[in-house]
Amino acid sequence: MEALVNPDRRSLHQRILDDVQGRILSGEWPPGHRIPFEHEMTAQYDCSRMTVSKVLNQLARAGLIERRRRSGSFVLRPHSQSAVLEIRDIMTEVQALGLAYRFEIVSRAKRRATRTDLDRLHLEAKVPVLDLACLHFAGKEPFCHEERLINLDAVPEADAEAFAERAPGPWLVERVPWTTAEHRIQAIGANPLTAAALGIAEGAACLLIERRTKGAEQPITHVRLTYPGDGHELVAHFAPSRN
Amino acid sequence: MEALVNPDRRSLHQRILDDVQGRILSGEWPPGHRIPFEHEMTAQYDCSRMTVSKVLNQLARAGLIERRRRSGSFVLRPHSQSAVLEIRDIMTEVQALGLAYRFEIVSRAKRRATRTDLDRLHLEAKVPVLDLACLHFAGKEPFCHEERLINLDAVPEADAEAFAERAPGPWLVERVPWTTAEHRIQAIGANPLTAAALGIAEGAACLLIERRTKGAEQPITHVRLTYPGDGHELVAHFAPSRN
DNA sequence: TAGTGGTCTAGACCACACT
DNA sequence: GTGTGGTCTAGACCACTAG
């Protein structure tokens, strides 16, 4: 059915996807437009229905179109901005700036979880926790102040770890299987502790990233990363169907 | 082949996906583990290869596994935190707080693009631009200060729009077809203009969201949204395969 | 009730990477 | 070579829903 010699290097469904996506992005098919039925595209591209279906389902997952039974598929209007945010590893980030990276454990304490700890970890039982403070440097300058709680019920081996070679973040990523995470991003004025650690004025604008990480069974860790506001920005991209 | 009565409401590939994903999330299949070949899963689940393939490709797109020809599919280690950030419409956000929403156009100017404008819009030619400042209120309090540039070459009808009913953001979303956007998120101290607009102290910590929006042909708009730091946070989620 | 998308099959050939 | 995943087909039946 298809041309014997591949006309270009893309697969058939990739070409169809690019075609349809192009029409949507260009405005040729504006929001609300009903795109051709599967059986129509099957004829138009001279391919099987599965191939068309795969393309349209990809576009639907990417949020470009909506599929309705008995009605057809429709171009959606660009929905309330949702974007993919890349939160990179601190070491990677520093090295991307062309600076030398190192970190220091500033303080370390083991205790039964206090009420604040439980709140931060989203826990109820008063489990043992490890409370770490850590400074990350870019060259000679402090780059980020890390305050971390680790649930020792979930990761007991953290108690015996010195975190000399690897910072607590990468150490946990290596050790703990797949997780889900929730991030909160705020601007705050530096509190006295953080200001002293980062060598900035109290109240200076800082970017605070809080991350709560859960494993399959229970919460694993909570971390507050504070960056001086003038030295850091997050970048997020919004684009249809990353393929 | 399949049971005549659907054992639960999920489709076959959904059940397979949940099964495989569960094993990965639980750590039963740790990072590096080689998951069964397609033909093995075909036998195990008593289904066709396409069904298995669909599942594994979904997991690969979600970043949970990596597929290598001739070698098989392998569980990845949780990669550098990347998360889906939801940047909601300001009106929606305010109303979610249970507060009344309104906005005001504070200033408006039309001009040929200055060097700063071109830089912000990612443009080269000195096109006409519309420069808007806008205040968004939650109840009686200022909630967000918006500074927006609109490329009048891309959206000429903006020049004739009063933005009385709809704020510039929603107005553009309705009018312009699909776009890509780039967001930058920083913490900054409030500059005098913004501080006055928001009724906060100069230098107070604020969350700054910059968004640059491009259409198929050319840049469309650039916006700086400044939120008082104590009244705003962004939430992002990281979880494997949203299906 | 008719027509859409949702799902699934049992094949097939190909490209690629490891040997 | 050889075996993996990548792609594709030509059907089929089902579930949902608009008219």
Side-chain angles (χ1 to χ4, degrees), chain A residues 137-174:
Chain A
F137 292 83
K140 300 195 170 179
E141 298 300 318
F143 180 73
C144 173
H145 185 227
E146 169 177 350
E147 301 161 275
R148 183 180 292 273
L149 286 172
I150 300 176
N151 176 359
L152 286 176
D153 247 23
V155 199
E157 63 269 38
D159 193 24
E161 171 65 29
F163 303 108
E165 297 298 323
R166 307 184 76 75
W171 185 89
L172 280 166
V173 166
E174 277 212 340

Side-chain angles (χ1 to χ4, degrees), chain A residues 73-107:
Chain A
S73 302
F74 298 84
V75 178
L76 286 175
R77 85 175 42 216
H79 40 248
S80 59
Q81 299 290 353
S82 104
V84 176
L85 178 67
E86 190 109 9
I87 299 183
R88 292 183 296 174
D89 183 65
I90 298 173
M91 184 175 74
T92 310
E93 210 162 350
V94 169
Q95 291 173 342
L97 295 171
L99 295 170
Y101 170 75
R102 72 182 178 86
F103 73 94
E104 262 175 25
I105 301 287
V106 175
S107 76

